[in-house]
Amino acid sequence: MSKDKKGDLFDLLFPDKDIISKAEIDRIRAGCEIVQFQKKDIIFKQNTLTSHIMFIKSGLVKIFKQGKNNKSIILKIATPGNFLGLISIFGESTFQYSASAIEDAEILFIDFNTFQSILTNNGKYTTSLLKKLSKENLYVIDRLIAQYHKQLPGKIADLILYFSEEIYHSEKFELPLTRNELAEFAGTTKESLIRTLTEFKNDKIIELEGKKVNIRSMDIIKTLSRIG
Amino acid sequence: MSKDKKGDLFDLLFPDKDIISKAEIDRIRAGCEIVQFQKKDIIFKQNTLTSHIMFIKSGLVKIFKQGKNNKSIILKIATPGNFLGLISIFGESTFQYSASAIEDAEILFIDFNTFQSILTNNGKYTTSLLKKLSKENLYVIDRLIAQYHKQLPGKIADLILYFSEEIYHSEKFELPLTRNELAEFAGTTKESLIRTLTEFKNDKIIELEGKKVNIRSMDIIKTLSRIG
DNA sequence: TAAACATGATGATTTACATCACCAAAAAAA
DNA sequence: TTTTTTTGGTGATGTAAATCATCATGTTTA
């Protein structure tokens, strides 16, 4: 890891230099470590004790809740520049969700006590974190509510919009998940997901070839998302 | 409002005196106001600008999201000793949900700038708030996930457990909501809710007379909640 | 390289629950 | 009071999507 890269990483971690001091950043820097994860590796597992503060340097991470009959539901895809598992770390003593790398990923592990001591001493930074966390949670709650009473076309339209707008910022992208995972994310079953995607394809709303998606009519997708 | 009562209220607002100073409490006290709401009064409305920090002194408050076809979903029942709308206040500029009193309620309105300045100056208190908010959000997210793939008996068992354990701390209580509201809370329709409650009654799992509930077999309720 | 397993895809069948229609009782408004 | 509106309740019907079954293709792993 070169020095330059470490600089970049800390710019990502603390984008607003006005609310955190050089000394504080150095304390974090001294007690942290970058860990490499490969595609499909588990980063943390539901019900295990929380320990470090984690921050995504690179790679996509899926956050999911595992149910009994080995069915999971995916809550979100976390992207570089975001913390992992913060809500569990602050809210409980164990992780409430699991996290796994959906592509090779680098995660920064920060010593919890160091981080905590900065929080208690720096109200400005803590307030900014409070705001960031609130925004993230609002988003998760809204997605769950939306899924709850939308039917299939609306759910799948939301799914496509999520990847297009939140992850890849493009109308053309490659899905990073299997059909089964996509179903777990959209709140349906593999079969229903496949059928709906196929309908979208037949109706020329999207081009679809394996995992490659190209949105042909963003209007229709947005309408489907809106009317549910 | 007697002085004694105001003392009680601030004990409720700041239960841990070690993390907040007398001076800070006095600043809050100077810039706050208690507002009375009657049953069914709206306390704040979805999509309106956030302004004050609100804290429940007495009364139950329902937090709900209003959909298009004048259907709502109830996210939670907020109880005395808790803040209202914090996630919206920190996460967005407008309220993401609506709140209304389901019984006569007293709400403490705290000046936002005063509160914010205490947060930025007192990292300990902000950290404690971060933890409280995380716990609350985890609970809301968990309820939504649970509802999502439980079927009716599990949903209604959860509903009964919620009132019994979270609100009234008793196996015998009076429902504070109409059947329609209960359905909005459980994630179903009025008809399905009524049918399921009637089944529970016929199966002697609960006694039910109007809004009066008495849980006869907590075991079965918990089993139904668990198996979904 | 074959065997074992995971993934993608379609068709047929089942079902849980929403929706619709209606009425009685209670509460609110006139 | 009477009228109107809201709430609680039940039966009949429709349907969206889960489930089940099966197979082709792709990917690990032995």
Short mmCIF file of all heavy atoms in Angstrom, two decimals, chain C residues 9-21:
data_model
loop_
_atom_site.label_atom_id
_atom_site.label_comp_id
_atom_site.label_asym_id
_atom_site.label_seq_id
_atom_site.Cartn_x
_atom_site.Cartn_y
_atom_site.Cartn_z
P DA C 9 -32.03 -16.49 -17.78
OP1 DA C 9 -31.69 -15.90 -19.10
OP2 DA C 9 -32.43 -15.62 -16.67
"O5'" DA C 9 -33.17 -17.57 -18.00
"C5'" DA C 9 -33.02 -18.50 -19.07
"C4'" DA C 9 -34.18 -19.47 -19.02
"O4'" DA C 9 -34.12 -20.26 -17.82
"C3'" DA C 9 -35.57 -18.82 -19.02
"O3'" DA C 9 -36.13 -19.03 -20.30
"C2'" DA C 9 -36.34 -19.56 -17.92
"C1'" DA C 9 -35.43 -20.73 -17.58
N9 DA C 9 -35.50 -21.19 -16.19
C8 DA C 9 -35.13 -20.49 -15.06
N7 DA C 9 -35.29 -21.17 -13.94
C5 DA C 9 -35.80 -22.38 -14.37
C6 DA C 9 -36.18 -23.55 -13.67
N6 DA C 9 -36.12 -23.68 -12.35
N1 DA C 9 -36.66 -24.59 -14.41
C2 DA C 9 -36.73 -24.47 -15.74
N3 DA C 9 -36.40 -23.44 -16.50
C4 DA C 9 -35.93 -22.41 -15.75
P DT C 10 -37.44 -18.21 -20.78
OP1 DT C 10 -37.14 -17.69 -22.12
OP2 DT C 10 -37.90 -17.30 -19.71
"O5'" DT C 10 -38.50 -19.38 -20.93
"C5'" DT C 10 -38.40 -20.46 -20.06
"C4'" DT C 10 -39.45 -21.49 -20.38
"O4'" DT C 10 -39.38 -22.44 -19.32
"C3'" DT C 10 -40.88 -20.96 -20.37
"O3'" DT C 10 -41.67 -21.77 -21.21
"C2'" DT C 10 -41.27 -21.06 -18.91
"C1'" DT C 10 -40.54 -22.35 -18.49
N1 DT C 10 -40.12 -22.32 -17.06
C2 DT C 10 -40.25 -23.47 -16.32
O2 DT C 10 -40.67 -24.50 -16.77
N3 DT C 10 -39.86 -23.35 -15.01
C4 DT C 10 -39.38 -22.22 -14.38
O4 DT C 10 -39.06 -22.24 -13.20
C5 DT C 10 -39.26 -21.05 -15.23
C7 DT C 10 -38.76 -19.77 -14.65
C6 DT C 10 -39.64 -21.15 -16.50
P DG C 11 -43.18 -21.51 -21.49
OP1 DG C 11 -43.40 -21.87 -22.91
OP2 DG C 11 -43.56 -20.20 -20.97
"O5'" DG C 11 -43.87 -22.63 -20.58
"C5'" DG C 11 -43.76 -23.98 -20.95
"C4'" DG C 11 -44.55 -24.85 -20.00
"O4'" DG C 11 -43.91 -24.79 -18.69
"C3'" DG C 11 -46.01 -24.42 -19.79
"O3'" DG C 11 -46.82 -25.59 -19.87
"C2'" DG C 11 -46.01 -23.80 -18.40
"C1'" DG C 11 -44.91 -24.58 -17.70
N9 DG C 11 -44.26 -23.88 -16.59
C8 DG C 11 -43.72 -22.61 -16.60
N7 DG C 11 -43.20 -22.27 -15.45
C5 DG C 11 -43.41 -23.37 -14.63
C6 DG C 11 -43.07 -23.58 -13.27
O6 DG C 11 -42.49 -22.82 -12.50
N1 DG C 11 -43.46 -24.84 -12.83
C2 DG C 11 -44.11 -25.77 -13.61
N2 DG C 11 -44.42 -26.92 -13.01
N3 DG C 11 -44.43 -25.59 -14.88
C4 DG C 11 -44.06 -24.37 -15.32
P DA C 12 -48.35 -25.60 -19.49
OP1 DA C 12 -48.99 -26.64 -20.32
OP2 DA C 12 -48.87 -24.21 -19.48
"O5'" DA C 12 -48.30 -26.12 -17.98
"C5'" DA C 12 -47.82 -27.44 -17.70
"C4'" DA C 12 -48.34 -27.87 -16.34
"O4'" DA C 12 -47.67 -27.10 -15.31
"C3'" DA C 12 -49.84 -27.65 -16.12
"O3'" DA C 12 -50.33 -28.72 -15.32
"C2'" DA C 12 -49.89 -26.30 -15.41
"C1'" DA C 12 -48.62 -26.34 -14.55
N9 DA C 12 -48.00 -25.05 -14.28
C8 DA C 12 -47.88 -23.98 -15.12
N7 DA C 12 -47.25 -22.95 -14.59
C5 DA C 12 -46.93 -23.39 -13.31
C6 DA C 12 -46.26 -22.77 -12.24
N6 DA C 12 -45.77 -21.53 -12.30
N1 DA C 12 -46.13 -23.48 -11.11
C2 DA C 12 -46.61 -24.72 -11.05
N3 DA C 12 -47.25 -25.41 -11.99
C4 DA C 12 -47.38 -24.67 -13.10
P DT C 13 -51.82 -28.67 -14.66
OP1 DT C 13 -52.26 -30.07 -14.52
OP2 DT C 13 -52.64 -27.65 -15.36
"O5'" DT C 13 -51.50 -28.12 -13.19
"C5'" DT C 13 -50.61 -28.85 -12.35
"C4'" DT C 13 -50.68 -28.27 -10.94
"O4'" DT C 13 -50.04 -26.97 -10.92
"C3'" DT C 13 -52.09 -28.06 -10.41
"O3'" DT C 13 -52.18 -28.73 -9.15
"C2'" DT C 13 -52.25 -26.55 -10.32
"C1'" DT C 13 -50.81 -26.09 -10.14
N1 DT C 13 -50.48 -24.72 -10.60
C2 DT C 13 -49.77 -23.88 -9.76
O2 DT C 13 -49.43 -24.20 -8.63
N3 DT C 13 -49.49 -22.64 -10.27
C4 DT C 13 -49.84 -22.16 -11.52
O4 DT C 13 -49.53 -21.03 -11.85
C5 DT C 13 -50.57 -23.08 -12.36
C7 DT C 13 -51.00 -22.66 -13.72
C6 DT C 13 -50.86 -24.29 -11.86
P DT C 14 -53.48 -28.66 -8.22
OP1 DT C 14 -53.58 -29.94 -7.51
OP2 DT C 14 -54.62 -28.12 -9.03
"O5'" DT C 14 -53.00 -27.55 -7.17
"C5'" DT C 14 -51.68 -27.62 -6.66
"C4'" DT C 14 -51.48 -26.54 -5.62
"O4'" DT C 14 -51.23 -25.28 -6.27
"C3'" DT C 14 -52.64 -26.33 -4.66
"O3'" DT C 14 -52.08 -26.26 -3.37
"C2'" DT C 14 -53.27 -25.01 -5.15
"C1'" DT C 14 -52.06 -24.28 -5.72
N1 DT C 14 -52.28 -23.31 -6.83
C2 DT C 14 -51.62 -22.09 -6.79
O2 DT C 14 -50.90 -21.76 -5.87
N3 DT C 14 -51.84 -21.29 -7.88
C4 DT C 14 -52.63 -21.56 -8.98
O4 DT C 14 -52.74 -20.76 -9.90
C5 DT C 14 -53.28 -22.86 -8.96
C7 DT C 14 -54.16 -23.24 -10.11
C6 DT C 14 -53.08 -23.65 -7.90
P DT C 15 -52.99 -26.14 -2.06
OP1 DT C 15 -52.32 -26.90 -0.99
OP2 DT C 15 -54.40 -26.42 -2.44
"O5'" DT C 15 -52.90 -24.59 -1.70
"C5'" DT C 15 -51.63 -23.98 -1.55
"C4'" DT C 15 -51.83 -22.52 -1.19
"O4'" DT C 15 -51.98 -21.73 -2.40
"C3'" DT C 15 -53.11 -22.26 -0.38
"O3'" DT C 15 -52.86 -21.23 0.55
"C2'" DT C 15 -54.09 -21.75 -1.42
"C1'" DT C 15 -53.13 -20.93 -2.27
N1 DT C 15 -53.64 -20.62 -3.63
C2 DT C 15 -53.19 -19.48 -4.26
O2 DT C 15 -52.39 -18.72 -3.77
N3 DT C 15 -53.73 -19.28 -5.50
C4 DT C 15 -54.65 -20.09 -6.15
O4 DT C 15 -55.06 -19.80 -7.26
C5 DT C 15 -55.07 -21.27 -5.43
C7 DT C 15 -56.07 -22.20 -6.03
C6 DT C 15 -54.56 -21.46 -4.22
P DA C 16 -52.81 -21.57 2.12
OP1 DA C 16 -51.89 -22.69 2.39
OP2 DA C 16 -54.22 -21.64 2.58
"O5'" DA C 16 -52.15 -20.25 2.70
"C5'" DA C 16 -51.02 -19.67 2.05
"C4'" DA C 16 -51.28 -18.20 1.76
"O4'" DA C 16 -52.07 -18.04 0.56
"C3'" DA C 16 -52.05 -17.47 2.86
"O3'" DA C 16 -51.35 -16.26 3.14
"C2'" DA C 16 -53.43 -17.21 2.27
"C1'" DA C 16 -53.15 -17.16 0.78
N9 DA C 16 -54.25 -17.64 -0.07
C8 DA C 16 -55.13 -18.65 0.20
N7 DA C 16 -56.00 -18.88 -0.76
C5 DA C 16 -55.65 -17.96 -1.74
C6 DA C 16 -56.19 -17.69 -3.01
N6 DA C 16 -57.22 -18.36 -3.53
N1 DA C 16 -55.62 -16.71 -3.73
C2 DA C 16 -54.58 -16.05 -3.21
N3 DA C 16 -53.99 -16.21 -2.03
C4 DA C 16 -54.58 -17.19 -1.33
P DC C 17 -51.70 -15.38 4.37
OP1 DC C 17 -50.45 -14.77 4.84
OP2 DC C 17 -52.57 -16.12 5.30
"O5'" DC C 17 -52.54 -14.22 3.68
"C5'" DC C 17 -51.90 -13.51 2.62
"C4'" DC C 17 -52.91 -12.83 1.77
"O4'" DC C 17 -53.74 -13.75 1.05
"C3'" DC C 17 -53.85 -11.91 2.53
"O3'" DC C 17 -53.55 -10.60 2.11
"C2'" DC C 17 -55.25 -12.38 2.14
"C1'" DC C 17 -54.99 -13.14 0.84
N1 DC C 17 -56.00 -14.18 0.50
C2 DC C 17 -56.55 -14.19 -0.78
O2 DC C 17 -56.18 -13.36 -1.59
N3 DC C 17 -57.49 -15.12 -1.08
C4 DC C 17 -57.85 -16.02 -0.16
N4 DC C 17 -58.77 -16.92 -0.50
C5 DC C 17 -57.29 -16.02 1.16
C6 DC C 17 -56.38 -15.09 1.44
P DA C 18 -54.12 -9.27 2.69
OP1 DA C 18 -52.98 -8.46 3.14
OP2 DA C 18 -55.25 -9.55 3.60
"O5'" DA C 18 -54.70 -8.60 1.37
"C5'" DA C 18 -53.89 -8.58 0.21
"C4'" DA C 18 -54.72 -8.28 -1.02
"O4'" DA C 18 -55.58 -9.42 -1.30
"C3'" DA C 18 -55.63 -7.07 -0.90
"O3'" DA C 18 -55.57 -6.32 -2.11
"C2'" DA C 18 -57.02 -7.67 -0.63
"C1'" DA C 18 -56.94 -9.02 -1.34
N9 DA C 18 -57.71 -10.08 -0.67
C8 DA C 18 -57.59 -10.48 0.64
N7 DA C 18 -58.40 -11.48 0.96
C5 DA C 18 -59.08 -11.74 -0.22
C6 DA C 18 -60.08 -12.68 -0.54
N6 DA C 18 -60.57 -13.58 0.33
N1 DA C 18 -60.56 -12.68 -1.81
C2 DA C 18 -60.05 -11.79 -2.68
N3 DA C 18 -59.12 -10.86 -2.50
C4 DA C 18 -58.67 -10.89 -1.23
P DT C 19 -56.29 -4.93 -2.18
OP1 DT C 19 -55.46 -4.13 -3.10
OP2 DT C 19 -56.61 -4.45 -0.82
"O5'" DT C 19 -57.68 -5.26 -2.90
"C5'" DT C 19 -57.68 -6.12 -4.01
"C4'" DT C 19 -59.10 -6.49 -4.36
"O4'" DT C 19 -59.56 -7.57 -3.51
"C3'" DT C 19 -60.12 -5.35 -4.19
"O3'" DT C 19 -60.79 -5.19 -5.43
"C2'" DT C 19 -61.06 -5.86 -3.09
"C1'" DT C 19 -60.92 -7.36 -3.24
N1 DT C 19 -61.24 -8.18 -2.03
C2 DT C 19 -62.13 -9.22 -2.16
O2 DT C 19 -62.69 -9.51 -3.21
N3 DT C 19 -62.35 -9.94 -1.00
C4 DT C 19 -61.78 -9.71 0.24
O4 DT C 19 -62.06 -10.42 1.20
C5 DT C 19 -60.85 -8.60 0.31
C7 DT C 19 -60.18 -8.27 1.59
C6 DT C 19 -60.63 -7.90 -0.82
P DC C 20 -61.80 -3.95 -5.64
OP1 DC C 20 -61.68 -3.54 -7.05
OP2 DC C 20 -61.59 -2.97 -4.55
"O5'" DC C 20 -63.22 -4.64 -5.42
"C5'" DC C 20 -63.53 -5.83 -6.12
"C4'" DC C 20 -64.87 -6.38 -5.68
"O4'" DC C 20 -64.72 -7.12 -4.45
"C3'" DC C 20 -65.93 -5.31 -5.41
"O3'" DC C 20 -67.12 -5.66 -6.10
"C2'" DC C 20 -66.10 -5.34 -3.89
"C1'" DC C 20 -65.80 -6.81 -3.60
N1 DC C 20 -65.38 -7.09 -2.20
C2 DC C 20 -65.90 -8.21 -1.54
O2 DC C 20 -66.71 -8.93 -2.13
N3 DC C 20 -65.51 -8.46 -0.26
C4 DC C 20 -64.64 -7.65 0.34
N4 DC C 20 -64.29 -7.95 1.59
C5 DC C 20 -64.09 -6.51 -0.32
C6 DC C 20 -64.48 -6.27 -1.58
P DA C 21 -68.33 -4.62 -6.20
OP1 DA C 21 -68.81 -4.70 -7.60
OP2 DA C 21 -67.92 -3.31 -5.63
"O5'" DA C 21 -69.41 -5.26 -5.23
"C5'" DA C 21 -69.55 -6.68 -5.14
"C4'" DA C 21 -70.50 -7.02 -4.02
"O4'" DA C 21 -69.73 -7.30 -2.82
"C3'" DA C 21 -71.48 -5.89 -3.65
"O3'" DA C 21 -72.76 -6.43 -3.45
"C2'" DA C 21 -70.89 -5.33 -2.36
"C1'" DA C 21 -70.31 -6.60 -1.74
N9 DA C 21 -69.29 -6.37 -0.72
C8 DA C 21 -68.32 -5.40 -0.72
N7 DA C 21 -67.54 -5.44 0.34
C5 DA C 21 -68.03 -6.50 1.08
C6 DA C 21 -67.65 -7.07 2.31
N6 DA C 21 -66.63 -6.62 3.04
N1 DA C 21 -68.36 -8.12 2.76
C2 DA C 21 -69.39 -8.58 2.03
N3 DA C 21 -69.85 -8.14 0.85
C4 DA C 21 -69.12 -7.09 0.43
#
